[in-house]
Every structure is written in structure tokens, then in C-alpha cells.
Amino acid sequence: MTLKHLNIFSEFCQAKSITKAAEKLNMAQPAVSNAIRELESYYGVKLFDRMNRRIYITEAGQTLLKYADSILLQFAESKTILRDNGSFTEIRIGSNVAFGTDYLPRIASDFEALYPEIPLRLSIFGSARIKEALLHNQLDFAIVDNAAEMEELHCLPLTSDEMTALCSPDFPFLPKQMAKPSSAPETDAADLPDAGEQTATPLPITVLNGIPLLLREPGSGSRDLLDHLFHQEKIIPVIAAESSSTQALIELALRGRGVIFLSSTSAKFYTDAGLLIALPLDSRELTRNYSLVYHRQKYLTESMKRFLGYMTDTFS
């Protein structure tokens, strides 16, 4: 059994396809299939179930994947450790879109001002993609919201931010009144009046029933939070648009196409400029908690230790 077998197995689990794994590894498909069969023969277990032309990893496969990723991570780290020798090495930092927009540019600039000799490589994507990259050692640190408790990861809480619901002043479904008795029937789009009649009284989240929404793609941190809230409140969202591009959704909101959810930091720019109106929803369930996470098996170079200390000091 070799590292090559484990690398093929890990890539296959990530790709969930012989063809895609072979392309990523620059190998022939039969070679990938043979490596998986050799692993199953070596351990004497089935690593995958094949049903209806789809492949599902077994419990034994999940166990092996944890060991394989840990071994591969430590092997990759060995090159960094041996080459470090007190020098400053690049730090790969991933962030979800909201934190990457509101905080990461300032963090990177301030850190580089303190340590100009330490290069940073930044990646800003949806939360699911960032977590996946971290677990496969494609990142050194990740910044995500509402981080799940995963035994493989250290988690350093950073800060919290509330999501704000926004729409154009010309949006045709602005609420007539902002407070309703809890016993009142759920608000429907037909019950919402003309634009312009607003108060500061918090709206129940159920006011979103029947209103066109502009949402981030499934798997993003904001979408996961909203989907959970919609399910909890028995709201069936009317999705007018969904995108991995927050800016594309903002442009749609500016043209009155629906309600968008932004962090309070981002929302302030648009409300101060009078471009969008904030709907004062009851925001107790709209809080995003950002954390810095990194793998427990991660070897921290001198560069990484300095970044971790900087983040701890900045957000303590």
C-alpha cells in the first residue's frame, strides 16, 4: 500500500467519478479503478457501493478517508516543515463571501503592513467550497460562519454580524405595517401594500411569505442560515433569483426584483445612500457567527503562528 493509492482514493471520494478523478490525477481511468480495487482487497472491505450507476462511499470508506486525508496532509506538510528553517512561508487563507467582502481586505492589508515579508494568498468562495478546500489541505486557514463542530478542526471564534433584509424603495411589496399579533395569519404577498409605508417596528419573519427573494446559492453560509429559518418558520420561499455572485443579486435588488439579504456592514452603504431600504425583520435568528478554523493535524509554520496570533489579538 502506497501514498499513491491513498491519493487516488481521496481524489476519487472528492470527485465521486472515475472519469473526473482520472482527469484530475492525469491518469488513465483503468489505473484509478485498479487502485480502488487494490485498496478494497488490501483491507478486505467494500469501500464503495455501486447502485443505479451511482457510487456511494461505505462506512468503511468514510473511516479510511479520514486516515487517508490525515496521512496525505502530514506528508504534504513535511515539505513545508523541512523547507521552513525559520524562513517566512506563504499563508493560504480562504473566506466565505460575506466575511471576505466586509473584513478580509482590511485584515490582509493590516497584516501585510506588520509583516511585509509574509506573502498571503486569499481565496473567497461559498462556505461549502472553502470548508472542502481546507479539509483537503488546499488552504491553511478558513474563515466561515456558523462553523459546525468537526473533530478534525480547531475553531477560533472571531465576530458576529446580523443579516439585513433590503429592497428597493420602489419594490411593490413593502409591508403596510411592521408589527402584527403573533396570532395573526401569515402575511401573503397579496396583503402587502404600496411602497413607502414603513415603521421601525420589527416585522415577523413570516412577512416574507409570497415575496420574491434574491438568495445566494445553496451551500453558502447565508443560504444555509436562511433555509434553516424558512424551514423552522414553515415559510415556502419564492426565489426570484439565486446566484454565487452577491453583486449580481444587489443589481437585481436595486431594480426592484426582490428582497436581498446582506450583512449589516454591507447593507449600511446602500441604506445610507438611499439606494435600498432595510426591512426591520426580527433579527434574532439572522445572526452569523464567524470563526477561523484550521486542521488539528496542521503543522503551523512561523508565518502561520504570526497570522493566528494577529487574528487572536484583533478579535479578542
Side-chain angles (χ1 to χ4, degrees):
M1 198 51 48
T2 65
L3 282 171
K4 184 175 181 180
H5 284 84
L6 296 180
N7 189 45
I8 292 171
F9 172 70
S10 180
E11 288 292 345
F12 178 61
C13 290
Q14 190 174 4
K16 297 181 176 63
S17 162
I18 293 286
T19 302
K20 291 179 180 178
E23 290 175 354
K24 180 77 178 292
L25 294 164
N26 196 26
M27 296 175 61
Q29 293 184 36
V32 174
S33 299
N34 286 338
I36 299 300
R37 282 196 293 269
E38 288 170 1
L39 277 171
E40 291 183 323
S41 176
Y42 180 82
Y43 288 107
V45 296
K46 286 189 67 175
L47 299 175
F48 300 96
D49 285 324
R50 299 159 179 84
M51 297 181 292
N52 298 325
R53 297 185 179 181
R54 297 191 65 181
I55 297 174
Y56 302 89
I57 189 168
T58 64
E59 185 176 347
Q62 292 282 8
T63 300
L64 178 60
L65 181 60
K66 289 183 179 180
Y67 282 106
D69 283 347
S70 178
I71 291 168
L72 292 168
L73 184 151
Q74 291 183 61
F75 180 74
E77 297 289 355
S78 66
K79 289 194 291 185
T80 302
I81 295 170
L82 294 173
R83 293 172 179 174
D84 192 9
N85 292 324
S87 62
F88 292 108
T89 54
E90 180 183 70
I91 307 173
R92 302 167 300 171
I93 304 165
S95 170
N96 65 10
V97 174
F99 192 95
T101 301
D102 296 337
Y103 298 96
L104 193 57
R106 175 181 55 81
I107 288 171
S109 296
D110 290 351
F111 180 80
E112 288 176 336
L114 286 174
Y115 303 105
E117 68 277 16
I118 301 179
L120 301 180
R121 188 199 306 176
L122 308 179
S123 299
I124 301 174
F125 297 109
S127 295
R129 183 172 173 183
I130 289 295
K131 289 178 184 176
E132 188 74 13
L134 181 72
L135 291 174
H136 286 84
N137 198 35
Q138 296 163 358
L139 295 171
D140 301 312
F141 296 105
I143 302 166
V144 294
D145 64 320
N146 301 316
E149 292 298 326
M150 300 179 68
E151 61 182 17
E152 300 99 330
L153 301 178
H154 280 295
C155 182
L156 173 67
L158 297 179
T159 188
S160 298
D161 200 357
E162 291 182 355
M163 295 176 67
T164 301
L166 302 160
C167 65
S168 165
D170 300 324
F171 188 57
F173 299 119
L174 285 176
K176 181 180 295 184
Q177 54 186 23
M178 300 301 178
K180 303 188 308 172
S182 58
S183 59
E186 291 185 347
T187 303
D188 188 85
D191 301 322
L192 299 177
D194 296 333
E197 301 179 29
Q198 298 187 84
T199 78
T201 308
L203 277 168
I205 197 72
T206 51
V207 77
L208 296 177
N209 266 324
I211 295 180
L213 303 178
L214 308 171
L215 304 179
R216 285 287 308 281
E217 80 286 3
S220 69
S222 63
R223 180 64 177 271
D224 287 346
L225 179 63
L226 289 169
D227 281 348
H228 175 75
L229 184 57
F230 294 155
H231 176 76
Q232 180 178 299
E233 298 294 335
K234 297 180 173 55
I235 295 172
I236 300 176
V238 177
I239 302 176
E242 58 184 2
S243 175
S244 59
S245 169
T246 301
Q247 191 57 45
L249 298 177
I250 290 173
E251 292 298 326
L252 290 169
L254 291 171
R255 288 161 174 76
R257 302 292 298 175
V259 171
I260 188 174
F261 291 83
L262 298 177
S263 69
S264 59
T265 304
S266 293
K268 190 175 186 301
F269 170 82
Y270 294 96
T271 55
D272 285 353
L275 298 172
L276 295 174
I277 294 173
L279 299 180
L281 298 179
D282 186 343
S283 60
R284 288 171 295 179
E285 302 297 330
L286 291 173
T287 300
R288 303 181 72 177
N289 300 303
Y290 299 112
S291 299
L292 177 74
V293 295
Y294 59 99
H295 205 286
R296 289 185 180 276
Q297 300 284 347
K298 189 74 178 176
Y299 170 78
L300 297 180
T301 65
E302 186 62 30
S303 298
M304 296 175 199
K305 289 177 184 177
R306 294 200 179 191
F307 181 76
L308 185 59
Y310 169 79
M311 293 295 283
T312 302
D313 292 342
T314 300
F315 289 97
S316 61

